[in-house]
């Protein structure tokens, strides 16, 4: 069944759940999502499911299959290398920019960091993926460059977080919690070099974990892909 959590609509809740499944590798490359099958599994109508899958199509995570559903796209090690390179470039620039301007009104950011910490405590991987996303979106938005924020979030949403729910992945989640609070402190204090180094490390520490897990991953089927009824996919 679908859990709304912090989502403001059924479509957003479905997006959050499916994005977490895909980027964590639980729905691996080759998984087929059937709109009616997924709607039944989640206990919602087909409309928010179709809208969510179309949004994930625009993000490059799935692609439509005529009269079958939506296919989870494969990721490669080269994709991963490219994404890490671009993320470091963009996110370092954003955080150094906000540090030069000095962060103000940090309480909303601390509340988001607290939310991330809470998901780590309860070992909620899906919750961690979504709250971590919201924290970083709010943080880079403080650079006051909406175009940059959109670019950064597009790269983050396209990254496969394979291995995030492994033992090593959970250890890295724990470490990331403290780094979030440190980013806020550096931004508040105007420590430009320090925040740049921190976000670079914060991103790159995940790379060996994701690369190893991606290298071991194999395309897999999904029960959702084996339902007998598949909805037509808009062309």
């Amino acid at each position: 069944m679908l859990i709304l959590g912090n989502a403001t609509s059924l479509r957003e809740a479905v997006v959050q759940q499916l994005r977490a499944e895909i980027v964590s590798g639980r729905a691996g490359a080759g998984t087929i999502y059937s709109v009616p099958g997924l709607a039944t599994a989640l206990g919602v109508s087909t409309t928010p499911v179709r809208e969510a899958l179309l949004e994930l199509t625009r993000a490059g995570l799935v692609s439509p299959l005529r009269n079958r559903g939506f296919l989870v796209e494969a990721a490669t090690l080269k994709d991963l290398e490219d994404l890490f390179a671009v993320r470091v470039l963009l996110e370092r620039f954003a955080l150094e920019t906000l540090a030069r301007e000095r962060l103000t009104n940090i309480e909303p950011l601390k509340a988001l960091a607290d939310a991330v910490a809470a998901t780590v405590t309860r070992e909620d991987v899906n919750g961690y993926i979504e709250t971590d996303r919201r924290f970083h979106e709010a943080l880079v938005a403080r650079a006051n460059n909406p175009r940059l924020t959109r670019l950064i979030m597009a790269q983050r949403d396209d990254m496969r977080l394979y291995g995030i729910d492994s033992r090593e992945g959970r250890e890295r989640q724990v470490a990331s919690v403290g780094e979030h609070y440190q980013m806020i402190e550096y931004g508040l204090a105007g420590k430009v070099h320090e925040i740049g180094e921190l976000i670079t490390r914060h991103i790159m520490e995940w790379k060996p974990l994701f690369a190893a897990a991606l290298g071991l991953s194999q395309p897999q089927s999904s029960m959702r892909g084996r339902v007998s009824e598949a909805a037509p996919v808009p062309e």
Side-chain angles (χ1 to χ4, degrees):
M1 295 295 291
L2 185 65
I3 298 175
L4 282 175
N6 57 61
T8 58
S9 68
L10 285 175
R11 180 200 58 77
E12 184 180 344
V14 177
V15 168
Q16 290 180 8
Q17 182 159 324
L18 296 186
R19 181 167 55 217
E21 285 188 10
I22 294 168
V23 302
S24 68
R26 289 194 292 273
T31 297
I32 297 175
Y33 284 115
S34 160
V35 172
L38 185 54
T40 298
L42 296 178
V44 298
S45 70
T46 58
T47 298
V49 170
R50 186 181 301 280
E51 291 174 350
L53 286 165
L54 289 173
E55 181 171 332
L56 295 174
T57 297
R58 290 189 289 271
L61 294 178
V62 299
S63 60
L65 297 174
R66 185 174 179 82
N67 296 323
R68 291 187 62 196
F70 291 77
L71 175 73
V72 175
E73 291 286 357
T76 67
L77 290 174
K78 179 61 165 59
D79 293 332
L80 193 69
E81 292 277 352
D82 292 347
L83 279 167
F84 270 102
V86 174
R87 280 193 58 192
V88 168
L89 181 68
L90 295 177
E91 293 185 51
R92 181 164 187 151
F93 176 76
L95 267 61
E96 288 179 345
T97 298
L98 68 85
R100 287 191 186 93
E101 299 295 325
R102 297 289 186 98
L103 273 178
T104 58
N105 186 27
I106 63 173
E107 293 309 314
L109 292 173
K110 284 186 174 180
L112 289 169
D114 290 343
V116 179
T119 65
V120 174
T121 298
R122 63 177 183 264
E123 297 188 348
D124 176 6
V125 175
N126 279 18
Y128 175 82
I129 291 171
E130 189 56 37
T131 55
D132 180 72
R133 182 184 186 279
R134 289 192 292 122
F135 170 80
H136 282 281
E137 183 174 24
L139 186 63
V140 299
R142 295 298 187 94
N144 197 30
N145 186 331
R147 185 179 296 275
L148 177 61
T149 299
R150 290 195 298 271
L151 286 171
I152 288 171
M153 298 314 296
Q155 306 314 306
R156 290 182 61 89
D157 288 347
D158 200 29
M159 181 165 278
R160 305 304 173 91
L161 314 180
Y162 290 3
I164 194 170
D165 54 359
S166 65
R167 179 180 60 81
E168 295 84 357
R170 293 185 185 279
E171 290 173 355
R172 181 63 202 135
Q173 290 177 46
V174 172
S176 75
V177 168
E179 293 166 2
H180 290 160
Y181 294 109
Q182 192 69 64
M183 289 175 206
I184 295 171
E185 291 180 15
Y186 284 159
L188 184 65
K191 294 185 176 181
V192 176
H193 176 74
E194 290 84 351
I195 202 170
E197 290 295 302
L198 177 57
I199 189 59
T200 298
R201 185 170 71 253
H202 183 76
I203 294 170
M204 295 303 293
E205 286 289 334
W206 287 103
K207 186 177 179 181
L209 173 67
F210 293 168
L214 180 59
L216 293 172
S217 68
Q218 297 292 329
Q220 60 189 38
S221 304
S222 167
M223 288 300 292
R224 297 186 185 95
R226 293 197 287 270
V227 296
S228 59
E229 180 188 3
V233 178
E235 294 184 304

